[in-house]
Amino acid sequence: LEMTGAQINSVLNEAVNNALSGSTGSYPYAAGLRYWVDPNLPEGERVFDIEMNSRLESDWTKLDQDSAFTVVTNSFVASGRDGYFTFGEIDNKVDTYIEYSQSFIDYTLDEGILIDPLRSE
């Protein structure tokens, strides 16, 4: 999916809102993103101070709301389910037809050894 930073912000807030309303599957997690969540804030503002670190290879920087980014997810979430409504509005989806578990297996085989990132990262 090609998305702007503003759309990424929206989809994270949508998923948090959905999770807080009783869903057991929609709480957002992501590689290369970190952010704060305050469930007491109004809907649409609960996720804030979003930072990105592309491929975890550089410094964390504030997510630029106007820039375009490539986002990868599974087809279920990409269709707007589990509260990820903004994903469902994106037209330029590419389905690889690869099970996400297979992608993880392939990544693990390529890396050889996986390590936990430092908590400070």
Side-chain angles (χ1 to χ4, degrees), residues 44-104:
E45 299 176 21
R46 291 175 172 157
V47 177
F48 57 94
D49 289 344
I50 304 169
E51 295 180 318
M52 63 170 288
N53 185 337
S54 181
R55 300 184 184 270
L56 301 176
E57 295 175 350
S58 60
D59 295 327
W60 290 95
T61 58
K62 183 177 172 99
L63 180 69
D64 183 343
Q65 300 293 299
D66 298 320
S67 291
F69 302 95
T70 300
V71 176
V72 178
T73 189
N74 62 55
S75 57
F76 180 80
V77 170
S79 68
R81 296 209 174 111
D82 252 353
Y84 292 86
F85 305 117
T86 298
F87 278 155
E89 298 169 2
I90 305 295
D91 292 326
N92 59 357
K93 297 178 183 89
V94 175
D95 193 335
T96 63
Y97 298 99
I98 298 172
E99 292 291 327
Y100 66 92
S101 55
Q102 186 61 52
S103 298
F104 180 71

Side-chain angles (χ1 to χ4, degrees), residues 9-66:
N9 187 337
S10 291
V11 83
L12 291 173
N13 271 286
E14 291 166 350
V16 166
N17 293 339
N18 197 50
L20 292 173
S21 65
S23 171
T24 59
S26 63
Y27 195 86
Y29 59 92
L33 287 180
R34 67 182 183 187
Y35 46 85
W36 290 95
V37 175
D38 185 343
N40 298 309
L41 291 175
E43 286 189 20
E45 299 176 21
R46 291 175 172 157
V47 177
F48 57 94
D49 289 344
I50 304 169
E51 295 180 318
M52 63 170 288
N53 185 337
S54 181
R55 300 184 184 270
L56 301 176
E57 295 175 350
S58 60
D59 295 327
W60 290 95
T61 58
K62 183 177 172 99
L63 180 69
D64 183 343
Q65 300 293 299
D66 298 320

